[in-house]
């Protein structure tokens, strides 16, 4: 139903003539007949000019599916529709499991949303339904790190807006009671072992406070720490998995020594390390940046600090500090109408060039921004997790790892800790499992896109 008459709205110095109507019951979108003017162009190398009509000013509605963060993503939609009031973007938030059941089905039968959030672990399931970004790649690569790693047949369908990786969280109250200060943040794994011993508390033979625990967090560290010593997860062909190697075995043995030699934790003390940390039973854990939000929400009484993942040798920069996984930008449904795709492309460009919203998104998820315009942002520098990570270019992305890697490492550790399997044998089994399960996936690692990747292997 069309509105009668005309509305005049102001956006800064801009005047828009609004004469349209909503596409459906309850919609606030209105037809626009005069393009905005005088609004600033945003962005760095890649820019967005809002001074034009979108969809010729005609009313259009897009659905945007996501599984989390509706408030922070709603801010993008609100800012965009304020500029272009003829566009309505309706966010549909669904639980993770439901999302990954419904989205592929909806994309396949043609009922999928024009916009949808992506997790790169589902890359293979989604890539066939994604419309490539209609953006100049040289400008995109000038403003965003890691674009090359996302090229598929010379096109980008999504990229990373943020980098998430691991670090050490410690209980600040326990730290202080042990007489430790920020000057005692361990730089090496040997130093961490010493600090963990100071943080361990016993009542006789009974462990009452773990100095360090890694129970249930096996995949978090096992697949990243071998990079510190130059060991990749894939052979030079970027296809053959390489888990069963001396470096990986040394990582396993290092963590086992924390329990068996140093006795700073136990497989039987707090079966889930991050929960044990949140419940005030464990002094230190290694896990990924997302835990920051969980601590604030689920364990608000825990006073905690963070420090960068230790390295093997004092004063030597490792090949890479850790692996990372990217938080992905929004996907565009290739099966949407031409009008929806055009508006979705415009919205993606708007989002990628809006520094304030990108900063808020990265802070919300505790991820290092891949948008270079935020490299020296004070709010990023002050964030407890992001400030601990250091240079973004010293982390390596192996690509959207097949799930077999993480599940096999979890089984390996369960066998070692609880089933008495020797580490070397458990590692060999993990290697065989991954080889078997990804044999026909066609997965190709992105390790060779890492800036420090050796010219010859």
């Amino acid at each position: 139903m069309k509105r009668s008459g005309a509305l005049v709205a102001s956006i800064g110095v801009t005047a828009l003539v609004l004469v349209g109507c909503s596409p459906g019951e309850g919609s606030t979108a209105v037809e626009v007949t005069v393009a905005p003017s005088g609004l600033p162009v945003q962005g760095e190398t890649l820019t967005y000019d809002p001074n034009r009509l979108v969809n010729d000013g005609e009313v259009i509605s897009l659905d945007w599916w996501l599984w989390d963060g509706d408030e922070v993503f709603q801010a993008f939609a609100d800012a965009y529709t304020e500029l272009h009031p003829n566009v309505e973007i309706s966010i549909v938030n669904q639980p993770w499991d439901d999302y990954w059941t419904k989205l592929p089905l909806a994309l396949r039968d043609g009922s999928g949303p024009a916009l949808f959030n992506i997790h790169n672990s589902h890359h293979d399931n989604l890539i066939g339904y994604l419309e490539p970004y209609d953006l100049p790649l040289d400008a995109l690569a000038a403003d965003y790190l890691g674009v090359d790693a996302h090229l598929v047949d010379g096109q980008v369908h999504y990229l990373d807006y943020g980098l998430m990786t691991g670090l050490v969280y410690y209980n600040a109250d326990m730290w202080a009671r042990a007489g430790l200060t920020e000057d005692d943040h361990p730089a090496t794994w040997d130093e961490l072992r010493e600090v963990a011993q100071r943080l361990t508390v016993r009542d006789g033979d009974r462990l009452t406070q773990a100095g360090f625990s890694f129970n249930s967090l096996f995949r978090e560290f096992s697949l990243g720490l071998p990079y510190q010593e130059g060991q990749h997860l894939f052979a030079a062909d970027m296809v053959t998995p390489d888990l069963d190697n001396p470096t990986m075995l040394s990582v396993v043995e290092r963590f086992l020594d924390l329990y068996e030699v140093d006795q700073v934790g136990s497989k039987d003390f707090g079966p889930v390390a991050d929960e044990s940390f949140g419940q005030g039973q464990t002094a230190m854990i290694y896990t990924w940046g997302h835990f920051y939000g969980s601590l604030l929400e689920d364990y608000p009484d825990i006073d905690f600090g963070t420090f960068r993942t230790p390295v093997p040798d004092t004063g030597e920069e490792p090949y890479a500090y850790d692996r990372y996984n990217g938080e992905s930008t929004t996907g565009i449904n290739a099966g949407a109408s031409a009008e929806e795709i055009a508006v979705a492309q415009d919205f993606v460009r708007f989002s990628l060039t809006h520094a304030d919203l990108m900063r808020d998104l990265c802070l919300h998820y505790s991820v290092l921004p891949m948008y270079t315009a935020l490299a020296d942002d004070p709010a990023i520098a002050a964030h407890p997790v992001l400030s601990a990570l250091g240079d973004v270019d010293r982390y390596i992305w192996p690509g959207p790892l097949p799930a077999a890697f993480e599940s096999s490492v979890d089984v390996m550790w369960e066998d070692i800790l609880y089933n008495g399997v020797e580490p070397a044998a458990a590692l060999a089994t993990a290697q065989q499992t991954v080889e078997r399960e990804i044999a026909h996936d066609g997965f190709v690692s992105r390790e060779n896109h890492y800036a420090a990747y050796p010219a010859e292997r």
Side-chain angles (χ1 to χ4, degrees):
M1 181 177 67
K2 281 203 169 190
R3 293 181 183 177
S4 59
L7 298 174
V8 179
S10 294
I11 304 174
V13 297
T14 305
L16 305 177
V17 177
L18 312 175
V19 296
C21 69
S22 63
E25 194 69 29
S27 172
T28 58
V30 290
E31 185 178 342
V32 179
T33 60
V34 177
S37 64
L39 295 175
V41 174
Q42 66 186 37
E44 301 293 324
T45 311
L46 179 70
T47 58
Y48 180 81
D49 185 352
N51 300 298
R52 56 197 169 72
L53 290 176
V54 171
N55 197 44
D56 295 327
E58 296 180 3
V59 170
I60 187 169
S61 180
L62 308 182
D63 280 348
W64 184 4
W65 284 20
L66 43 83
W67 64 86
D68 185 55
D70 48 340
E71 291 186 6
V72 71
F73 288 112
Q74 183 68 54
F76 284 88
D78 290 346
Y80 183 80
T81 56
E82 184 177 359
L83 290 173
H84 305 294
N86 60 305
V87 180
E88 180 184 53
I89 299 178
S90 300
I91 284 182
V92 180
N93 192 347
Q94 305 182 61
W96 171 269
D97 289 341
D98 289 349
Y99 186 87
W100 293 112
T101 299
K102 294 178 180 176
L103 180 63
L105 293 174
L107 293 173
R108 189 163 59 207
D109 69 18
S111 63
L115 295 162
F116 53 91
N117 281 3
I118 294 173
H119 193 279
N120 61 28
S121 62
H122 289 264
H123 172 91
D124 290 341
N125 293 331
L126 298 179
I127 188 64
Y129 301 104
L130 287 167
E131 181 76 9
Y133 282 179
D134 183 17
L135 297 170
L137 291 182
D138 54 347
L140 190 63
D143 288 351
Y144 277 84
L145 301 172
V147 170
D148 286 352
H150 287 280
L151 287 174
V152 177
D153 297 329
Q155 297 177 310
V156 169
H157 301 74
Y158 67 93
L159 58 142
D160 300 327
Y161 67 79
L163 173 161
M164 185 177 289
T165 186
L167 70 162
V168 177
Y169 294 77
Y170 64 89
N171 182 306
D173 292 331
M174 296 177 184
W175 195 268
R177 285 199 295 272
L180 298 166
T181 70
E182 291 189 358
D183 291 337
D184 297 306
H185 287 175
T188 68
W189 287 108
D190 285 343
E191 291 174 2
L192 182 136
R193 293 177 68 166
E194 295 174 4
V195 167
Q197 291 177 47
R198 293 179 61 176
L199 289 165
T200 302
V201 178
R202 293 182 176 279
D203 181 7
D205 293 334
R206 186 171 64 89
L207 182 66
T208 59
Q209 176 180 300
F212 188 91
S213 176
F214 57 89
N215 294 339
S216 80
L217 298 176
F218 313 128
R219 62 179 63 179
E220 276 80 356
F221 65 86
S222 299
L223 296 174
L225 300 187
Y227 285 120
Q228 293 192 337
E229 299 178 66
Q231 175 62 53
H232 298 86
L233 290 178
F234 289 86
D237 62 6
M238 293 294 107
V239 173
T240 306
D242 189 3
L243 287 177
D244 188 7
N245 56 68
T247 304
M248 178 67 87
L249 184 59
S250 72
V251 170
V252 171
E253 291 172 339
R254 178 191 304 151
F255 276 72
L256 274 179
D257 283 350
L258 286 165
Y259 285 1
E260 297 178 354
V261 177
D262 302 332
Q263 299 187 342
V264 299
S266 167
K267 62 183 175 61
D268 300 317
F269 186 87
V272 181
D274 49 4
E275 292 181 2
S276 179
F277 184 92
Q279 293 162 359
Q281 299 170 333
T282 291
M284 288 192 296
I285 62 169
Y286 166 96
T287 189
W288 280 37
H290 58 73
F291 188 54
Y292 176 78
S294 299
L295 278 170
L296 296 183
E297 183 172 343
D298 300 332
Y299 308 105
D301 295 332
I302 293 292
D303 186 12
F304 64 94
T306 60
F307 57 85
R308 193 178 202 173
T309 305
V311 298
D313 300 310
T314 304
E316 292 188 14
E317 188 164 61
Y319 172 67
Y321 279 91
D322 211 330
R323 75 172 172 125
Y324 78 85
N325 197 33
E327 295 302 314
S328 305
T329 55
T330 303
I332 299 173
N333 181 2
S337 70
E339 293 78 11
E340 289 173 330
I341 289 175
V343 175
Q345 293 280 10
D346 192 71
F347 175 69
V348 165
R349 186 171 190 138
F350 165 82
S351 300
L352 292 175
T353 54
H354 201 302
D356 290 343
L357 292 175
M358 271 295 164
R359 179 203 304 112
D360 293 346
L361 181 61
C362 291
L363 291 172
H364 179 80
Y365 285 111
S366 301
V367 294
L368 277 173
M370 302 298 267
Y371 191 29
T372 56
L374 299 175
D376 299 319
D377 187 272
I380 298 293
H383 190 280
V385 168
L386 306 184
S387 61
L389 298 180
D391 298 334
V392 66
D393 59 356
R394 299 305 300 183
Y395 294 86
I396 185 170
W397 186 50
L401 278 181
F405 276 84
E406 294 186 341
S407 60
S408 296
V409 164
D410 287 346
V411 171
M412 176 189 75
W413 271 107
E414 294 283 340
D415 282 345
I416 293 171
L417 290 178
Y418 302 106
N419 298 324
V421 179
E422 288 296 320
L427 187 53
T429 299
Q431 170 78 27
Q432 294 164 7
T433 302
V434 173
E435 285 182 359
R436 182 176 61 252
E437 294 195 8
I438 73 168
H440 305 293
D441 282 1
F443 178 78
V444 178
S445 173
R446 314 297 206 270
E447 287 176 334
N448 56 356
H449 290 271
Y450 181 51
Y453 190 82
E456 296 183 5
R457 281 184 64 190

